Amino acid sequence: MTTNPEEKALLADAYQVKREKQHWNPADTTAAIQRGITKARTRRSGRSVRIKWITGVLVTVLAAGWFLVGPLGSYGQEQATYTEPIANWGVLEPFRELATDMEKTMITSAINNGYVQFVDQTITSGIYTFTVNAVMADENQITVLYTAQTDGSQEMYSTVNMKMTDASTGNLLDNGSSGGVYFSKNKHKVYGRSTIDRDRDKPLPEQVNLQFQLSSVVPDVVNYADNGDKERKYKFSKKMNVSFPLDPKFSIPKTEIIKVNRTFTLGGYEVLLSEVEVSPLVTRVKFAHAPDQEIDYKTRLSLNEIVLPIEIISISRNGKQTKLSRVGGSGTEDEMMYSFSSNFLDNPESMILKLHGKPGKVYDDLQEAKKDELGIKIK
């Protein structure tokens, strides 16, 4: 059984977190991600034999050369450096310090373009205090930045059971995909981000309700696991609710749908980059098999294995380059869709999608991997 796009994205994200926390060497990280994917495939298939990596797959371009930009060096970005726009996040500065690069790109773009609603609404329950600091929303996503803390008597641990509903109807706003992260340098406080995907065909609610619980570590109390190891004991708050209106500016449609419809060959298969959806908070890239290609179930599985998008390079009119990192992925038998961060509000002049040009090859050197990257012009 193959590893689907969502699982591959999760594997990559997990290693990215470790790299940021442990300052791994980039080349080691690249190899580690690929080896992790291989191990996952091996475990899922139940095979005991050792998997040998394919060390060379020729990439043939079938369409006109002007839209397939080729290896990274061919479009002059090998020496590019990616820096975030200089912007003061104001009261959100703690989130800037702790956020990942992919979050910084989107949030910085939103702040620079006035696309953030500062909420500053607080609720308290016992020793716990929760503040909604800010929210951003568009047709595709809602992102909430929040702060959770204890009164100092216990160590803050996490937020759990978080869900968002339409305050007027009580309907869940989650469209099947939601997630969040939280960070802390203070054991009594965490800064968090919660993001949900939503259905673009449904109107944005005027007001939303956020329901959740907070958990903390009970001091000087431990449990013992079956193997005798000590485990910390946790305390949970009552269910907490906070409601707030959404700025009407978020309900104005902004999503741009770019009909790419470009075919290329990767790992011996014809692949179609059908379209790209770009909105203020997310960029979505859709792949499918080439329409004139005979395809069976085995081929569909193979396409899921070889289509490995890395990132999107967004280029402004003055030549400034911004890296849009991959944040997730999902797939069906007929289509693969990957999500990336966005700087849509900065009005990029052009966008280049980068993919692994030689699927399955393991690299010991990051520069060697870059030389094999395949670039496809989106716009």
Side-chain angles (χ1 to χ4, degrees), residues 354-374:
K354 291 162 53 181
L355 302 95
H356 290 287
K358 295 184 177 180
K361 181 177 178 180
V362 176
Y363 299 92
D364 294 324
D365 181 81
L366 189 60
Q367 291 305 313
E368 180 186 357
K370 284 184 174 294
K371 290 179 182 179
D372 284 341
E373 287 176 1
L374 183 67

Side-chain angles (χ1 to χ4, degrees), residues 66-69 256-262 273 275-278 283-287 311-314 324 340 349-354 375-379:
W66 69 271
F67 71 80
L68 275 181
V69 187
E256 177 184 358
I257 299 179
I258 305 171
K259 296 292 185 181
V260 184
N261 291 324
R262 292 171 182 166
L273 173 57
E275 68 178 34
V276 177
E277 297 179 4
V278 189
T283 304
R284 289 176 176 156
V285 178
K286 294 183 179 181
F287 295 93
E311 62 196 12
I312 294 173
I313 301 300
S314 174
L324 307 181
F340 298 79
E349 182 80 3
S350 61
M351 300 171 70
I352 305 294
L353 173 67
K354 291 162 53 181
I376 302 177
K377 187 172 182 179
I378 295 173
K379 61 182 284 190

